[in-house]
Amino acid sequence: YSSPLLCKEAYKPNTIERMEWFFQANQTRLLRDLLGVVDLQNINHENICCLNTAVVLSIFAFRRKQLAEVLDGLSFINKEEECFMSRSQRGSVIDHRNRNHHHHAEKNDIVSNLHSLTIGIENAPSHNDTKNNVVEGRPLFLQNNRKNGKKGAERFYGPISRNFRELLWFWTEYYTNRGRDRLSLEFSSHLRFEEWENIVKVLCADDGARTSLVSSPIRLPKSPYRKAPSFVETRLR
């Protein structure tokens, strides 16, 4: 692959320019892979680096004014994975039905076989049902996606985006209350914490914008740093 926008150093091995090109060319896939490693159930101080790397990729994309395109790509990957899972589930159900039908046919005579075949045909979905459940080769659930208002583009807010949003809630709770960890984050990344905080706010706008991870606010856990009610403190005493 050759592009006039790449400098000569990008074609040389073991250079910063080549690594920068790699990250920029694969930022959406890298973001997806990082978000597949951690979730709200297993994240801790040992694997939070995966989340921080995902945030760094978002910062760089935001600097290049490519954040919306990266999230669109993430939405596309999410949609493809959902379609694949849906096809796999349908295939396993059909295979299970075929095995049951074959086993039933071996134990019954020709009349019974014809009867079961008739029942199967009567229960099969009609052409109109299939047409109503699939539009342009896509499952019905993809038709319910919210339009984000930008040139009529469609954004699928699926599990990947929701997982990222939940993880950023954890990120905010973690670093807001840990001053030393914030300093460590700045020193290790050479990025001001304000820039980290800004990109998290952009991603967590929850307004359906192209730079937002979800279309509307989602239910999140209560902050562990929230002060306990006074009657609980009294009991503890």
Side-chain angles (χ1 to χ4, degrees):
Y1 178 79
S2 177
S3 172
L5 299 178
L6 295 178
C7 61
K8 293 181 180 179
E9 286 73 14
Y11 298 99
K12 299 178 181 179
N14 305 323
T15 61
I16 295 296
E17 290 78 10
R18 187 177 182 84
M19 185 174 67
E20 181 184 2
W21 167 82
F22 173 81
F23 278 114
Q24 187 171 352
N26 299 279
Q27 55 189 346
T28 303
R29 173 53 63 181
L30 290 171
L31 189 61
R32 167 65 188 95
D33 292 343
L34 287 167
L35 295 174
V37 175
V38 293
D39 57 35
L40 203 56
Q41 303 300 320
N42 65 10
I43 190 167
N44 52 51
H45 67 282
E46 295 181 352
N47 59 21
I48 196 174
C49 57
C50 298
L51 175 57
N52 286 334
T53 305
V55 177
V56 168
L57 290 175
S58 301
I59 290 175
F60 291 158
F62 186 75
R63 285 181 177 182
R64 294 189 295 265
K65 302 185 185 302
Q66 295 177 348
L67 181 60
E69 286 73 16
V70 170
L71 294 183
D72 286 341
L74 197 65
S75 170
F76 177 78
I77 294 175
N78 201 345
K79 190 159 48 176
E80 288 292 307
E81 291 180 355
E82 290 289 305
C83 288
F84 177 78
M85 291 179 61
S86 179
R87 288 195 299 268
S88 299
Q89 291 174 356
R90 289 200 302 270
S92 62
V93 170
I94 293 174
D95 184 60
H96 179 71
R97 289 178 178 176
N98 288 339
R99 288 199 302 269
N100 287 343
H101 176 71
H102 181 69
H103 180 70
H104 179 74
E106 290 179 346
K107 292 185 176 181
N108 292 279
D109 57 12
I110 298 176
V111 176
S112 298
N113 291 340
L114 290 174
H115 179 65
S116 69
L117 179 61
T118 304
I119 294 175
I121 294 174
E122 291 175 351
N123 294 333
S126 64
H127 174 72
N128 291 332
D129 293 336
T130 305
K131 185 177 180 181
N132 291 333
N133 284 309
V134 178
V135 174
E136 298 178 355
R138 297 175 302 166
L140 179 63
F141 71 89
L142 292 181
Q143 304 172 39
N144 299 326
N145 295 339
R146 183 179 180 274
K147 301 280 184 174
N148 60 25
K150 291 274 187 153
K151 299 181 181 180
E154 185 179 13
R155 170 70 64 79
F156 177 63
Y157 299 96
I160 300 175
S161 300
R162 184 183 179 90
N163 182 45
F164 197 8
R165 176 65 183 88
E166 292 174 345
L167 288 171
L168 290 180
W169 169 85
F170 176 88
W171 188 94
T172 303
E173 294 292 329
Y174 185 87
Y175 283 106
T176 299
N177 299 278
R178 295 171 180 263
R180 290 184 178 180
D181 288 321
R182 290 199 301 271
L183 290 175
S184 175
L185 195 64
E186 288 185 332
F187 289 138
S188 61
S189 65
H190 298 281
L191 297 171
R192 299 284 295 178
F193 186 75
E194 287 76 9
E195 191 168 13
W196 287 84
E197 199 171 28
N198 178 65
I199 192 63
V200 170
K201 289 179 179 178
V202 170
L203 292 169
C204 298
D206 301 345
D207 57 359
R210 292 190 66 203
T211 54
S212 174
L213 288 172
V214 295
S215 59
S216 58
I218 63 174
R219 187 170 183 174
L220 296 167
K222 292 182 180 180
S223 172
Y225 298 98
R226 190 175 180 180
K227 187 178 179 180
S230 57
F231 70 88
V232 175
E233 294 179 353
T234 303
R235 286 182 180 179
L236 293 176
R237 291 174 185 173

